[in-house]
Amino acid sequence: MKKSIAVASMAPWLLAAPAVLADIDVGVINSLSGPFAAFGERYQAGMEVALEEINEGGGVRGEPLALSVQDDRSEATSALAAIESLNRQDVPLIMGSYASSITGPMAQLMTRQEIPLIVLGSADNSITKPGSPWVFRAKHNSTIVAESYFDYFDFLREQDDSLETVAMLYGNGAWPASLAEEGERLAEERGYEVVGNQSYDQGTSDFRPILNRFRSEEPDLLYVVAYAEDGVAIARQMREVNLNAKAVAIDTGAALPSFVDQVGDLAEYVATVVSWSKDVQYEGVEDLYERLKAKTGEEPTFYEAEGYLALRVAADALERAESLERNDVRDALAETDLDTPVTHVAFESFDGFQGQNPIRSLVLQIQDGEHVTVFPTDLAAEDVRYPAPVWDER
Amino acid sequence: MFDYVSFLQNLSNGVLIGGVYALIGVGLTLVFGVMKIINFAHGDFVILGMYCAVLLNSLLGWDPYLSLLVAMPLGFLTGALLQRLVLSRLMEAPPESSLLVTLGLALVIGNILLLTFGAEPKSVNVSYASSTVSLGEVSFSMILLLAGLATMVVIAGLYTVLNHTELGRAIRATADNRLGAELVGINTRWIEAVVFGIGMALAVTAGVVLIPLLFATPTFSGAIFTLKAFVVTVLGGLGNIGAAIAGGLLLGVVEVMGASYLTSDYRDAYGLLVFLLILLLRPEGLFGKTVKRV
Amino acid sequence: MKKHYFIFAGLVLVGILYPQMFPGYLSVAITLLLYAGWATAWDILGGWAGQVSLGHASFVGLGAYFVAVGTAHHEIAPWWSILMALVAAAMLAYLWGRLTFKLKGPYFTLSTIAIAEIFRLIAINEGWLTGGATGVFIMTLPEPFGLDLFSRQVNYYLALAFAAITVLVVMLISRSKFGYQLRAVREDEDAAMASGINPTTVKLKAFMLSGALTALGGGIYAIFLSFIEPHIIFYLLLSVQIALTAIIGGRGTIWGPCVGALLIVGSGEIFRTTFAEANMLIYGLLIMVVVIFMPRGIVGEPARYLIRRVYAKRAQG
């Protein structure tokens, strides 16, 4: 928080900087205040770690790289004003933001103004489907995430073919809703019976009625998409109403360390999909983990990693581009083929998506209070623990 | 086949949650009854209570109920001061001014919390977070039970103060007829500060009691609680404490039952629809007498 | 009154020339104009008729969704969608007003919040109608007279026209019998009834006008963003911001809401780059200060002072 004030107050100086130091400025539009600030802070931290790494390695094209950060205040109109402001600074590209309600309008405007956009955190399908030649996303989208969950379920089904029924619970935000939509489609495609399908309004804290209804259906699998607060409440209330399932997946909320802190033992066996974890089998992961941890002072999550990833992609493209003209930067981005400790990055068009990195998302399971990568098996650190024992037997 | 167990479980959850809503609503209605101020920042006072509990828990490891010892007096003092320094200037102004000023206050409180604690949602994890108490086949959440208990104790305390102490009489007098109260020598300005302090203390208590269940976010949740408080007080009738309690219970039950037996997508809408119906058909609330202005 | 027309003409002229002078600052200007228009429209109900609504985001959303869904899902041209939205908004305002006007001040305000909330839930849950929680993208728009409706310049002129229309409407109201009726009802409803004015009819007309104009702005907003989601459109904070813009500027005045928009959007822009997290805090403090010390708003206070001086001079003879 204090860091972001520092960075935001650096902005006026960065305006002066190009003339004096010939820095290369990358535009960033991030949610530093408002309801999304919690996520914005994490992205900021990840970007700063990448920034240090890049500048220690000599910067980009021989010049130091700098971030020109603007706050979108968690609202679309501010983000659009910020684009104008960065445009006046002639930045070669812009990275941003967290929420699809902000990134969506940004993508539309930047496509028309022909400024390359590297999506920072928004994972909604609609941003890159159909997307545009100017929008690039290195992190996953709803389809990829939902497929990861169902690949995981299929993997479990190979070991136990009695797995048939799934109950779905999700918030009514854009992200949970899109994951739920994809989930429904995949459940049908892959032969799972959906025995419960319920959305709830963000801000709900009492899930007992819904969980009670699920319990009477006795689902084999639970597919939950919930943010931090709801996720904790759901986990606790599952125990309370004695809702058992052989495998439980909770997206978003369960990926944060605070989930384990708040919920304790109840978190065991819960699976969640992330774009990065600290024990995934990529090169350089441990080092990145250490640096992210040092920057934030606490356990890093995939949010910081995504911030790091976005800036690495930007720097790589700027390095390779013929010039800093936006068209050339865009072409360079389209040809990206980069290995990072977060994931491999290449932007492709497939299934109606454009400019999307077909990232391999990871399934983490909480084992002994830690998030452990368990799937896909070639990237896993440990084996899956299956099935989850009923509450009374834990 | 009617699932009696689930029904009883849902009903009891609704009642217990309703109890906490009642606690929030009572504070609001008390303030309105005495001072005719509509406090838009009431929900943010609840959030303040939550953060108090979070802070004491992370610094000293205190259980939320222990932090009540600190939170309640603190809430009372802050409320009284706020009233004396800021809100007393509004006594002559039209009622919408109090709405607007407290709206600004809500923004101020929310953002101070944001700057102090950061944007990450915070909660307190107590050891009994998911324990249940069983009565036959029906299980009650331990936290909800404790919350319900705390609510009853606090409201009983409030009732005693209002009806069996001098202070209580002074408050009731001021609420009924301000001019008359002043004529018999009651220092109404002081009473107003006290009442606002009590209202805030009640809100803070609700926050502390709720924190094991929920997360505190600095800017978002305040408005939700304020809206719930309004629904409760209007259901019962602004200015009528007993009715606010009934209103809270009603809201809790309607929400839970609606979510269980109709679709949960519109859970909040059930409370709102009932709220609107009451506003339209019986604006003085289910139990209220028409609010008079002095 | 002539003075007002001169100011209006002058501002419109500045407005028309602005994009030539500051072509790189259009998005901010569009936001400002939208808020100015919304606040002025809100004021017809909130200032002139005296009914504080904190649910006007419903009308913004109505306009925005008609245009977005009309274009994206049904291939209806935006001008027809906006027309439909205006009619729908007026009808909504009529029903809403009929039901709730008997509620006294604060109760009415509470009902507006509740209704806006219900709209939000409907927009989220009835995906077949609204695209649901994932929102609606506006990818293509027709090109009337060869104009690219997505271009910032065109958006700007649309917003300018919107703001100008609302101010013009308020200016006409202030000089008309309707304006006198509104003022009478606002000051003392019983006395107004005694002089033969039907307060409910007057308030309903104000509400319908207010709602329809707000929806007009909503449609332009949808084109401006090209992507809308229930959470940002039917958003309590938006309703609150619109109301506060008008109140801080000065309710019941012609220029008050515009001044409010200038202050709030303008300072928001400045603060965005320097005091990022504190700007909402300052906003809240500002509201408290203005309402306590300047209840008639920034335009209203000096206006009242000037009027009193005029009367005082006259009384001195």
Side-chain angles (χ1 to χ4, degrees), chain A residues 4-5 8 32-33 70-71 73 76-77 80-82 84 88 100-101 105 108-109 112 126 172-174 177-178 201, chain C residues 24-28 120-121 124 133-134 137-138 150 152 221 225-227 229 231-232 268-269 272-273 276-277 279:
Chain A
S4 40
I5 293 184
L32 296 173
S33 63
Q70 301 237 353
D71 183 16
R73 296 200 292 183
T77 44
L80 294 180
E84 264 194 342
R88 291 196 290 277
S100 55
S101 55
Q108 297 275 65
L109 180 60
R112 280 174 229 292
S126 49
N172 63 9
S178 63
D201 198 17
Chain C
Y25 288 85
L26 288 181
S27 290
V28 183
R120 187 179 65 85
L121 288 172
I124 289 175
T134 40
F137 264 100
I138 303 180
F150 285 117
R152 275 289 160 270
Y221 188 48
L225 291 181
S226 321
F227 170 68
E229 232 181 52
H231 286 290
I232 48 168
E269 223 354 69
R272 183 167 59 76
T273 42
E277 284 126 5
N279 70 52

Side-chain angles (χ1 to χ4, degrees), chain A residues 1 37-38 41-42 198-199 201 204-206 208-210 212-213 215 229 232 236 239-240 261-263 266, chain B residues 10 13 17 114-115 119-121 123-125 129-130 132 141 144 212-215 256 259-260 264-265 267-268:
Chain A
M1 193 181 32
E41 284 168 17
R42 293 184 181 272
Q198 187 62 61
S199 80
D201 198 17
T204 304
S205 55
D206 182 31
R208 297 176 188 89
I210 305 171
N212 267 319
R213 263 189 283 147
R215 190 187 47 156
E229 312 82 275
V232 168
R236 287 181 183 156
R239 169 77 190 88
E240 254 183 61
D261 291 335
Q262 292 296 332
V263 156
L266 302 179
Chain B
N10 287 327
N13 282 336
I17 290 181
L114 178 64
L115 288 172
E120 200 78 43
S123 180
V124 168
N125 190 20
S130 20
T132 53
S141 154
L144 279 181
L213 266 180
L214 302 174
F215 274 77
V256 172
S260 318
S264 325
D265 301 342
R267 176 184 173 134
D268 278 347

Side-chain angles (χ1 to χ4, degrees), chain C residues 167-220:
Chain C
V167 173
L168 207 57
V169 166
V170 172
M171 288 202 300
L172 290 173
I173 288 180
S174 74
R175 287 286 286 168
S176 72
K177 186 162 144 211
F178 184 46
Y180 286 119
Q181 290 176 331
L182 279 170
R183 251 172 280 174
V185 166
R186 180 184 69 205
E187 295 302 325
D188 189 335
E189 210 167 302
D190 296 320
M193 275 203 292
S195 4
I197 300 176
N198 184 340
T200 312
T201 319
V202 166
K203 285 195 275 188
L204 275 177
K205 279 201 237 172
F207 202 176
M208 288 166 71
L209 203 53
S210 174
L213 284 172
T214 308
L216 178 62
I220 299 176

